[in-house]
């Protein structure tokens, strides 16, 4: 039942995924001394920036709005811990720890993403 | 709409697509990965595409998304399902009508699933005004292949059996 085009299509998609995965790893690894900054946004507004590398003890942030979310911050990583939105995609995304990682709560328009240190040059050397 | 029979067929198919979505929400299987859905309603889209053509497939997808959002999703849900649904229907129709020789329903369904995910993520990044949403894309592409295979197999079997009945007249469109 499979035809040539099907196999080509599957191969192409797998290739794209593999490439993007490698790319994300490179972005995450590049310049290991750069601090990872977690940016929390709600309804297009940035509400908090956390330097994940300087977090000492774990703590929680509670956001309220149309839905409520609890964000858990630990040294080097951050996640949506609880949410009362219907789909809970944000919670299932799990821990974010690498640059370029992101978790999104669409119903509430809330997201966490991890950036490198702002203000420093974002150059990548191989 | 040319005649009542045609209209009724499309209405029944829309109803079936909605029932499939409900059944899908009962299945616990794909809940492990964020945002991943089986996309059973796509079986109906494919069947409409094969038996009735592009225009009717678009209509069925539009009506299904509209009704689904009336019953559960709300306006935001409608925006997401319609952007995914329309994009996937266009992609599947393009492949089915132009490249039928080199693609089976399986491949068409995979392309549709992937296009659906891309459309939804596009809408999501637009709503969030944030490109980082696209970091979900790799996992959704892989799940698109798997779910697309399953949906494609089901559609293939369904189309085969439907062709044996004489309910649908294939000679209307390619």
């Amino acid at each position: 039942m499979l035809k040539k085009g099907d196999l080509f299509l599957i191969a192409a998609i797998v290739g794209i995924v593999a490439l993007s995965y490698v790319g994300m790893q490179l972005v995450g690894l590049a310049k290991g001394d750069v601090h990872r900054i977690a940016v929390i946004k709600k309804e297009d507004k940035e509400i908090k920036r956390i330097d994940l590398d300087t977090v000492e003890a774990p703590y929680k942030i509670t956001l309220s709005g149309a839905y409520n979310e609890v964000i858990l911050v630990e040294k080097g990583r951050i996640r949506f811990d609880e949410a009362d939105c219907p789909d809970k995609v944000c919670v299932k995304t799990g821990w974010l720890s690498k640059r370029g990682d992101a978790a999104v709560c669409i119903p509430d328009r809330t997201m966490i993403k991890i950036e490198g240190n702002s203000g420093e040059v974002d150059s990548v050397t191989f | 709409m040319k005649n009542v029979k045609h209209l009724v067929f499309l209405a029944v198919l829309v109803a079936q697509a909605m029932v499939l979505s409900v059944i899908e929400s009962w299945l616990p299987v794909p809940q492990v990965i964020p945002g991943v859905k089986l996309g059973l309603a796509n079986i109906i889209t494919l069947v409409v595409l094969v038996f009735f053509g592009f225009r009717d497939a678009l209509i069925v997808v539009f009506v299904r998304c509209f009704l689904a959002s009336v019953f559960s999703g709300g306006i935001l849900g409608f925006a997401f399902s319609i952007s995914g649904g329309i994009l996937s229907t266009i992609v599947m129709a393009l492949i089915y009508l132009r490249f039928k020789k080199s693609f089976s329903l399986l491949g068409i369904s995979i392309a549709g699933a992937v296009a659906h995910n891309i459309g939804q993520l596009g809408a999501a990044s637009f709503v969030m005004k944030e490109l980082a949403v696209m970091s979900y894309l790799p996992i959704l592409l892989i799940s698109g292949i798997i779910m697309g295979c399953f949906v494609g197999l089901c559609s293939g079997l369904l189309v085969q059996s439907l062709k044996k009945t004489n309910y649908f007249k294939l000679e209307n469109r390619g």
Side-chain angles (χ1 to χ4, degrees), chain A residues 1-6 9-10 13-14 17 20 24 41 44 89 92-93 100 102-104 106 109-111 113, chain B residues 31 34-35 76 80 100-104 106-107 110-111 114 124 127-130 132 135-136 138 141-142 145:
Chain A
M1 190 164 144
L2 273 179
K3 294 185 187 172
K4 228 188 252 169
D6 302 341
L9 180 74
I10 296 175
I13 297 170
V14 171
V17 172
S20 65
M24 298 264 280
K41 285 174 80 176
D44 306 332
V89 166
K92 282 175 204 146
T93 305
V104 185
I106 294 293
R109 295 175 66 201
T110 306
M111 73 172 291
K113 63 171 179 171
Chain B
Q31 287 297 311
L76 205 60
F80 285 116
K100 211 193 306 186
K101 285 202 184 79
S102 41
F103 286 90
S104 70
L106 205 91
I110 292 174
V114 165
V127 168
M128 304 290 294
K129 300 199 178 64
E130 178 61 65
S135 65
Y136 280 106
L141 287 181
I142 292 295
I145 295 180

Side-chain angles (χ1 to χ4, degrees), chain B residues 84-98:
Chain B
I86 297 286
L87 188 65
S88 92
T89 311
I90 292 174
V91 167
M92 290 194 299
L94 204 71
I95 298 179
Y96 181 70
L97 300 175
R98 291 286 169 80

Side-chain angles (χ1 to χ4, degrees), chain B residues 53-72:
Chain B
F54 175 50
R55 204 186 59 128
D56 289 349
L58 268 188
I59 293 173
V60 166
V61 166
F62 182 84
V63 175
R64 164 170 64 84
C65 293
F66 176 74
L67 287 177
S69 64
V70 166
F71 290 128
S72 62

